[in-house]
Amino acid sequence: MASHRRLKQPSRTRVTVLTTAAAAAVALSANAANAAPSEKLGKDEVKAKVDKLYEQAEQATEKYNGAKEKQQKLQKEISTIQDNVARGQQELNKLRDGLGSLATAQYRSGGIDSSVQLFLSSNPDDFLDKASTLDQLSSQQVEALKKIQDKQRELAQERAEAAEKLKDLAATRTELGNKKKEVQGKLADAQKLLNSLTAKEKAELAAQQQRADRSSSERVNLGDAPPASGRAEAAFQAAQSQIGKPYVYGATGPSSYDCSGLTSWAYAQAGVSIPRTSEAQANAGTRIYDQSQLKVGDLVIFFGDYHHVGLYAGNGQVLHAPHTGAVVRYEAMSNMTFEFGVRI
């Protein structure tokens, strides 16, 4: 006779665990089935991706440089305003002391009136608004009160200006931090790609980079293009003395440079101050759109967003700090997207 014993039902907890496990197994199987097999990038593909990341890092670097320059400028401006406020407060205190001395002298002579007492116990702005009391003051007291009122307005304006600049400084510091992270992120991504190469591939890429640096750093045929000016020639010669120095983002020399760091340093050696960033340097002089009109020492701006700059070297060559992993060297302008030259 068949048994009609009732089967024991699994607990709810056990059912839930089994169901979850089964679902996970199905999901993993589906993902495995749909995932494309990973393919190792070849050396040339890695180099192309790394070069692109370096370019993006340089774009972020110029934004970083701009934020850093703005931060330094704001800090100087805030310091100047704070010094002015401190001096102004001292002047205000002297003016108040002077008026108090007048009131004291008047009191001793029996001539102090209620209007002066009113000033000593309230805001002089409020007091001066009461025109009917002005005729009770001496001309000396009126002049003193007006000076105090002007100084108070001046101090209030300077304090408000300082407060606004402090807000701007805080925002600039945040921007600076974000751009620094962006640059570091791009460089880290590039390094991960390079780390994916075999030892042999890494050696080949390194040798390729060294050959490019060496051949471009040697004296190339610069033709006989004249210098843009005596100072432009001096700036170019200064830059030449830095050939072989490494590219480092945010660097302005003398041990390493980024692109605009090199050009601003070179012109500084010639006694000329130009802006720090490539974007600002693009507006630092007369633009020259015809390459044939360029002269040695002219700034050369590349790419649509002006994120790269070098010095014209003659014969279609530029002297520049190219990118991370490279050194200051000559390079054919045709390797980059030329926008225009700038004659300082």
Side-chain angles (χ1 to χ4, degrees):
M1 184 176 178
S3 172
H4 296 286
R5 187 170 55 186
R6 194 171 187 179
L7 294 174
K8 184 179 180 182
Q9 297 294 322
S11 69
R12 180 176 299 173
T13 301
R14 188 179 174 209
V15 169
T16 302
V17 171
L18 289 172
T19 304
T20 303
V26 170
L28 286 171
S29 298
N31 288 338
N34 294 329
S38 59
E39 294 181 1
K40 183 179 182 302
L41 294 175
K43 181 187 67 175
D44 292 340
E45 292 174 301
V46 167
K47 185 180 184 307
K49 287 181 176 292
V50 166
D51 287 346
K52 185 64 178 176
L53 285 167
Y54 282 162
E55 182 181 348
Q56 292 170 351
E58 189 180 34
Q59 289 174 307
T61 292
E62 287 305 302
K63 298 296 182 184
Y64 166 85
N65 290 339
K68 189 173 182 179
E69 185 179 42
K70 184 178 180 181
Q71 178 190 35
Q72 293 169 343
K73 181 181 177 183
L74 283 170
Q75 286 173 329
K76 287 180 182 178
E77 290 175 349
I78 289 169
S79 178
T80 299
I81 293 172
Q82 289 174 336
D83 288 345
N84 290 341
V85 168
R87 285 194 295 270
Q89 187 62 53
Q90 289 177 344
E91 292 173 13
L92 180 60
N93 292 340
K94 286 181 181 178
L95 288 170
R96 283 173 171 164
D97 290 344
L99 187 63
S101 298
L102 281 174
T104 300
Q106 200 173 48
Y107 174 77
R108 285 174 179 167
S109 65
I112 190 167
D113 52 42
S114 59
S115 60
V116 174
Q117 293 174 23
L118 174 64
F119 162 71
L120 293 176
S121 62
S122 71
N123 191 308
D125 285 344
D126 296 334
F127 179 77
L128 284 176
D129 287 338
K130 304 181 189 306
S132 61
T133 65
L134 289 178
D135 58 354
Q136 301 176 38
L137 296 173
S138 70
S139 60
Q140 195 174 5
Q141 288 172 326
V142 169
E143 184 64 27
L145 282 171
K146 286 182 178 179
K147 285 182 179 179
I148 288 173
Q149 186 182 47
D150 290 343
K151 182 55 67 175
Q152 283 178 321
R153 287 193 186 118
E154 181 183 328
L155 285 175
Q157 188 174 13
E158 287 182 333
R159 286 190 176 112
E161 185 181 355
E164 284 302 312
K165 287 188 181 294
L166 284 168
K167 287 181 185 177
D168 198 3
L169 179 60
T172 301
R173 281 176 172 158
T174 299
E175 181 187 2
L176 186 63
N178 292 338
K179 288 303 173 186
K180 185 174 183 179
K181 288 179 182 176
E182 184 178 350
V183 173
Q184 292 173 332
K186 298 294 184 185
L187 296 179
D189 289 343
Q191 190 58 53
K192 285 178 184 176
L193 281 169
L194 292 172
N195 290 342
S196 71
L197 297 174
T198 65
K200 181 181 178 182
E201 288 172 328
K202 289 179 185 177
E204 289 173 349
L205 271 186
Q208 182 179 338
Q209 181 64 62
Q210 287 175 355
R211 285 194 300 272
D213 287 339
R214 186 168 57 250
S215 63
S216 298
S217 298
E218 294 169 352
R219 182 78 185 184
V220 296
N221 179 16
L222 301 179
D224 55 358
S229 67
R231 289 187 173 182
E233 183 176 21
F236 180 71
Q237 289 175 352
Q240 281 183 313
S241 72
Q242 301 306 293
I243 288 174
K245 298 286 182 71
Y247 177 103
V248 174
Y249 84 89
T252 57
S255 58
S256 58
Y257 301 89
D258 60 22
C259 68
S260 56
L262 174 65
T263 50
S264 58
W265 177 88
Y267 264 95
Q269 307 317 298
V272 181
S273 176
I274 62 173
R276 169 66 178 91
T277 67
S278 58
E279 185 176 357
Q281 288 178 15
N283 297 308
T286 304
R287 292 189 178 184
I288 302 163
Y289 292 93
D290 186 347
Q291 286 192 42
S292 67
Q293 299 301 311
L294 291 174
K295 295 183 178 181
V296 173
D298 283 338
L299 297 178
V300 189
I301 307 297
F302 297 97
F303 305 108
D305 59 357
Y306 311 158
H307 73 259
H308 190 70
V309 62
L311 291 162
Y312 185 63
N315 198 28
Q317 301 284 318
V318 64
L319 178 57
H320 68 152
H323 54 72
T324 299
V327 300
V328 175
R329 68 190 192 193
Y330 298 108
E331 190 160 345
M333 287 170 54
S334 57
N335 290 346
M336 298 168 283
T337 306
F338 169 78
E339 291 296 321
F340 49 80
V342 176
R343 186 156 298 156
I344 302 299

